[in-house]
Amino acid sequence: MNWLLFLHIVAGALWIGGVMWQEGHTAAFRRDGEEAYTRAFLRAQATNGKLYPVATLLVIGTALWMIFATDGLSFGTLWIDIATGLFAVSFITGIAYFSRGSDKLSERLEAEGFNAEIAAGVRTMHMVARVEVIVLLALVWLMVFQPA
């Protein structure tokens, strides 16, 4: 089971690392103005959008495998149930909000050029991304401390 845990941790690190990289990358462009910030955020979203599906499938696949194959791990355990709920929120937010929203904003940026409405959409999306960081860190906390 150690190799499953290893894959689970690496996939989680890729997922959280992508979110943290995006935050740092985008913040670096803040001082260059709203347009540079908007473009940087959307580029980072596009890059991470290629990484997240693989990382997400590895995280959930290895998690389920470990739950079903390891004595002492099961649904009905508080930390697993909370982690499953947080994962579901993050997963749905990623597909329904980030993926679709960033694609639409990128398409509009390409077609219309930079404007205040697109910038406002990116600022909102970036705020939700910061909440996503908190959700993912809560997932890590649950896995490390495993409260009963």
Side-chain angles (χ1 to χ4, degrees):
M1 280 308 136
N2 285 343
W3 63 273
L4 279 176
L5 181 58
F6 172 77
L7 285 175
H8 186 72
I9 290 169
V10 169
L14 287 172
W15 190 0
I16 293 171
V19 172
M20 300 295 255
W21 170 80
Q22 180 174 329
E23 182 63 32
H25 174 75
T26 303
F29 282 89
R30 272 275 173 162
R31 64 182 163 269
D32 295 335
E34 196 74 22
E35 184 173 356
Y37 160 74
T38 297
R39 290 182 184 281
F41 183 87
L42 292 173
R43 275 194 312 271
Q45 266 306 118
T47 300
N48 284 344
K50 294 175 180 109
L51 169 71
Y52 292 154
V54 174
T56 302
L57 289 174
L58 278 172
V59 165
I60 194 63
T62 55
L64 290 172
W65 194 340
M66 286 187 294
I67 287 169
F68 292 121
T70 305
D71 290 335
L73 293 181
S74 65
F75 291 105
T77 305
L78 179 65
W79 73 270
I80 291 174
D81 292 346
I82 294 171
T84 302
L86 290 174
F87 174 85
V89 166
S90 180
F91 183 77
I92 291 166
T93 302
I95 290 174
Y97 181 71
F98 287 114
S99 179
R100 290 181 184 171
S102 64
D103 287 350
K104 285 179 184 176
L105 287 170
S106 292
E107 288 168 8
R108 287 188 58 205
L109 184 61
E110 181 87 18
E112 303 167 22
F114 175 77
N115 63 52
E117 191 176 313
I118 294 169
V122 165
R123 281 193 307 277
T124 300
M125 189 170 283
H126 193 186
M127 186 56 66
V128 175
R130 289 175 176 149
V131 173
E132 176 81 354
V133 168
I134 294 167
V135 169
L136 293 176
L137 291 174
L139 279 166
V140 171
W141 185 90
L142 285 166
M143 287 183 280
V144 169
F145 295 103
Q146 302 179 358

